[in-house]
């Protein structure tokens, strides 16, 4: 099954990359606020039970994909 994991910085964590993009957009006269940069991970995980596949993806996040001190993840089974 295809799984999409969206990883974002937790609220309150400074995002210098997001701030740089925000300033760049202002330089092009775009009105934006609070730009945050994250990452998107898509993968295929073998299985037919969406709950089981989501649990596997959560285990991957817990062990490797996400820094729980600074980041949060949302998992979507497609």
């Amino acid at each position: 099954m295809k799984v999409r994991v969206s990883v974002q910085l937790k609220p309150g964590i400074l995002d210098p990359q997001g701030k740089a993009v925000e300033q760049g957009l202002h330089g092009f006269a775009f009105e934006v606020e609070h730009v945050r940069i994250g990452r998107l991970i898509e993968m295929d995980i073998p299985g037919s039970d969406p709950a089981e596949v989501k649990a596997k993806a959560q285990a991957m996040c817990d062990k490797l994909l996400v820094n729980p001190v600074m980041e949060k993840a949302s998992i979507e089974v497609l």
Side-chain angles (χ1 to χ4, degrees):
M1 300 185 88
K2 186 166 285 298
V3 176
R4 184 176 293 149
V5 179
S6 175
V7 182
Q8 299 290 326
L9 290 172
K10 288 182 176 179
I13 301 293
L14 295 177
D15 185 356
Q17 187 179 13
K19 186 53 95 176
V21 169
E22 182 177 320
Q23 290 173 350
L25 290 170
H26 288 165
F28 287 110
F30 291 108
E31 293 185 28
V32 296
E33 296 179 9
H34 311 294
V35 175
R36 306 282 284 176
I37 302 295
R39 64 185 184 278
L40 180 66
I41 304 164
E42 291 186 347
M43 59 187 137
D44 292 326
I45 299 176
S48 58
D49 178 14
E52 183 180 309
V53 168
K54 187 172 184 175
K56 288 179 184 178
Q58 183 63 56
M60 293 175 195
C61 289
D62 295 342
K63 292 183 183 210
L64 178 68
L65 301 177
V66 177
N67 175 349
V69 174
M70 299 175 48
E71 299 172 321
K72 60 182 180 167
S74 62
I75 300 169
E76 181 182 10
V77 178
L78 306 173

